Amino acid sequence: MSRARPDADPVTAPWRGTEITLTGVRDHANPYTDVDVWADFTHESGTVLRRPAFWDGGRDWKIRFASPEPAGRWTWRSDSNCLTDEGLSGRTGTLDVRPATDDGDSFHRHGFWRMSPGGRSLVHADGTPALLVADTAWALPWRATEEQVTQYAADRRAKGFNAALLMSVQPDMDARGPRDRTADEGFDVGFEDLPAGHVNVLNPAYFQYLDRLTGILRDHGIVPVLQPLFHGFGWKGLRVAGPVVPPQEYARYCRYLVARYGAAPTVYLVGADGEGGEPQIAAGGAEIGRWDGYRQPCGIHYRPHSANRAHQSESWLHFQWCQTGHMGGHVQERVADMWRNTPPKAIANGEPTYENTGRPGRASGWWQGHEAWSNLCAGGTMGVVYGAASLWQWRLHADEPGHEDHFLAEHAGWREALDYEGSRHVGRISRILDGLPLTDMRPDWRSTLAPRGLSVPGELYLCYAEEGGPLIITDPENVPLPYRVVDPRTGATVRVGVRATAGDPVPDEGGAPRVYICHARRGS
């Protein structure tokens, strides 16, 4: 991220972050709670984008901005609720945007994620289709070191993951341990007053470290999915702060996350592991909607025993994620049921059973691949999510004490859990579906005799069959003639061709899992 001074004239490229530092001229009792700072960026075309600033310690506030316009000049002006501090209000500057001199990553080329026109899937800002393939690394922000996250991110990128679910701060009010990421039961602290059920005393050094961790993830193409304060089990099940913190404090923290992390690829998980109606979620979601000018995805992740449809009509809510729990059952009907809720929102199973949770072999290996493909084809068209026991807690080593046995993998810390086979099957989905026109694909039970299918009518038909076999076509007009048959356990294409007539089946000998992709521009 480039740095700029007020009144300077820096140059940047579209969708690249720029940081502007404002320095106050006087001290404030609690800068985090008492002082609001923002800046309006006006493009020469007339587009206006408002960005909130965040307090970064001392007298420093920072504004992070990325241009959604491909070129041109932005003029910005700061403002605040503290007009007597001229270091924060009325500062101005310009920012020139020119085309990039390098290709960059997919977010630099195509822009941040947002929701598709039909609201059912992800697209980049320029309309390029996207599919979330996420890992569950909840405790990484307060437990992991930079070296560990570099190792983690390289592994997940190599396997195909492009997102990671993160609790932004340790949420258990009664958790105790050394403030040391390398010590047993240790963790870093984002808010000094969280044990008392408040988030008013912010620790800037914690978030400066989190900047570096999320930077490592993004450098590896992994988008942080930021959750403010958990509403359910949390880290050790020790009284989470999410349902306790006053809604206005929760909303302020959501705004802080938008300010600090929202000028780079981000997903906001405003509620997690609750029933959805908690007042903190409504307050936080509205605040994210108010301040996120990039319209990055914002949604809710539920506990297993929930209706999964809170705030369905709210404009700030883009997606709903169910949870099917950690007992090793395939429950794709949860996803199918959520699809029917209106108005339409994007759907996913945000937390299937963690691999090897509680006992060796539970939900392990290909179980995870079958789960992911089944959820996707049942209507979870936002993407798929994977989790490994001992990794999500960032258990430091196989003998670290203090964790709930049901959520641990036997003889494993985070590093051993990183290698579980199931992660390969889930991550591989991004490679198998890369380049396909996935935008707003819909569950399709009519076009073939497959148990689970999706289609973009006339353009794409995609389905998963647990036992493979010939794919019998029942609605010929809706299934393109070219096809690929893929073994989802390896990613290998086992058959490719073009059916002679619309009524011909897609051939396969059967007896093994298969993914069938019928797409006019991909077959031969």
Side-chain angles (χ1 to χ4, degrees):
M1 178 173 291
S2 62
R3 266 68 175 178
R5 305 186 323 275
D7 311 306
D9 190 17
V11 176
T12 187
W15 299 110
R16 267 72 164 182
T18 296
E19 183 179 280
I20 300 164
T21 299
L22 303 178
T23 302
V25 298
R26 54 181 48 86
D27 294 325
H28 301 273
N30 187 337
Y32 170 68
T33 61
D34 298 346
V35 182
D36 294 334
V37 182
W38 62 92
D40 288 321
F41 290 77
T42 303
H43 190 257
E44 60 188 38
S45 66
T47 298
V48 178
L49 196 154
R50 175 169 287 185
R51 288 290 299 148
F54 62 91
W55 176 63
D56 200 35
R59 294 181 175 181
D60 287 342
W61 276 258
K62 294 182 178 179
I63 304 163
R64 290 175 175 170
F65 173 79
S67 174
E69 298 289 345
R73 171 164 289 194
W74 292 87
T75 302
W76 61 267
R77 179 184 177 86
S78 70
D79 206 346
S80 80
N81 66 346
C82 186
L83 300 181
T84 60
D85 195 328
E86 58 269 28
L88 304 178
S89 300
R91 304 307 303 272
T92 62
T94 59
L95 182 67
D96 284 333
V97 180
R98 300 174 186 172
T101 57
D102 57 68
D103 288 339
D105 61 25
S106 61
F107 294 98
H108 291 153
R109 294 193 304 274
H110 303 297
F112 302 161
W113 282 342
R114 60 180 57 173
M115 303 316 297
S116 59
R120 293 295 197 177
S121 56
L122 294 176
V123 294
H124 288 271
D126 69 355
T128 300
L131 182 77
L132 177 133
V133 181
D135 187 32
T136 309
W138 292 119
L140 179 153
W142 70 85
R143 298 221 82 194
T145 65
E146 292 177 76
E147 181 181 6
Q148 291 169 348
V149 173
T150 299
Q151 186 177 11
Y152 166 83
D155 177 273
R156 279 350 196 195
R157 178 177 183 173
K159 289 173 178 170
F161 289 92
N162 58 18
L165 277 57
L166 307 173
M167 298 183 199
S168 59
V169 294
Q170 196 287 114
D172 287 0
M173 293 189 291
D174 295 334
R176 300 292 183 266
R179 192 174 295 197
D180 182 350
R181 294 169 181 267
T182 65
D184 280 9
E185 300 194 69
F187 57 93
D188 204 351
V189 174
F191 288 93
E192 303 293 346
D193 55 341
L194 188 143
H198 290 279
V199 285
N200 291 322
V201 186
L202 181 137
N203 176 11
Y206 173 88
F207 290 96
Q208 290 160 3
Y209 199 89
L210 184 56
D211 284 353
R212 299 198 289 276
L213 299 186
T214 56
I216 293 167
L217 293 175
R218 287 171 171 142
D219 287 346
H220 288 80
I222 297 174
V223 175
V225 180
L226 294 175
Q227 206 292 312
L229 290 166
F230 233 55
H231 286 81
F233 182 82
W235 185 32
K236 298 182 177 184
L238 301 174
R239 284 204 311 145
V240 287
V244 176
V245 165
Q248 67 272 21
E249 295 179 22
Y250 196 94
R252 182 191 299 120
Y253 180 41
C254 287
R255 175 179 171 179
Y256 186 87
L257 293 175
V258 172
R260 187 151 204 145
Y261 300 104
T266 304
V267 173
Y268 301 106
L269 195 58
V270 69
D273 211 38
E275 55 85 21
E278 297 86 352
Q280 296 83 3
I281 294 175
E287 193 74 356
I288 291 170
R290 185 176 301 117
W291 286 98
D292 177 28
Y294 298 109
R295 295 182 291 143
Q296 299 203 74
C298 176
I300 302 173
H301 166 56
Y302 295 87
R303 60 169 63 113
H305 47 290
S306 178
N308 306 328
R309 58 174 180 264
H311 309 294
Q312 188 80 17
S313 298
E314 294 292 343
S315 60
W316 57 260
L317 185 116
H318 303 129
F319 64 84
Q320 303 275 37
W321 289 356
C322 68
Q323 176 186 172
T324 49
H326 303 283
M327 301 303 293
H330 297 295
V331 198
Q332 287 77 45
E333 58 266 30
R334 299 274 183 93
V335 175
D337 177 69
M338 292 167 67
W339 178 274
R340 299 182 181 95
N341 294 332
T342 57
K345 304 292 181 179
I347 305 300
N349 185 350
E351 202 170 357
T353 302
Y354 295 130
E355 188 165 12
N356 289 311
T357 190
R359 61 172 174 80
R362 177 178 281 154
S364 65
W366 175 243
W367 187 100
Q368 295 289 339
H370 173 79
E371 172 76 1
W373 282 106
S374 298
N375 280 302
L376 177 71
C377 291
T381 52
M382 185 174 179
V384 295
V385 180
Y386 165 82
S390 290
L391 189 150
W392 75 263
Q393 306 98 320
W394 213 266
R395 190 187 193 192
L396 298 187
H397 56 84
D399 299 315
E400 186 188 17
H403 299 281
E404 173 63 46
D405 287 343
H406 178 73
F407 292 112
L408 289 176
E410 190 174 82
H411 307 307
W414 75 271
R415 180 59 191 86
E416 290 79 14
L418 195 64
D419 294 330
Y420 288 156
E421 177 191 347
S423 63
R424 293 175 169 81
H425 297 308
V426 179
R428 190 176 289 122
I429 291 175
S430 68
R431 305 274 165 73
I432 294 173
L433 301 183
D434 182 45
L436 291 170
L438 306 175
T439 302
D440 287 326
M441 56 187 175
R442 302 177 60 85
D444 184 342
W445 314 103
R446 298 180 58 191
S447 293
T448 75
L449 290 182
R452 304 170 184 90
L454 298 165
S455 68
V456 178
E459 186 173 2
L460 173 69
Y461 179 78
L462 164 70
C463 70
Y464 164 67
E466 187 175 358
E467 294 295 331
L471 182 65
I472 306 302
I473 309 300
T474 53
D475 184 0
E477 294 185 1
N478 201 36
V479 182
L481 296 176
Y483 64 83
R484 282 191 298 140
V485 182
V486 178
D487 183 343
R489 300 167 301 176
T490 65
T493 297
V494 297
R495 192 180 300 271
V496 62
V498 179
R499 293 178 294 122
T501 70
D504 288 346
V506 176
D508 182 71
E509 63 276 9
R514 290 290 184 261
V515 170
Y516 306 84
I517 300 169
C518 299
H519 175 38
R521 293 193 295 271
R522 286 293 295 263
S524 62

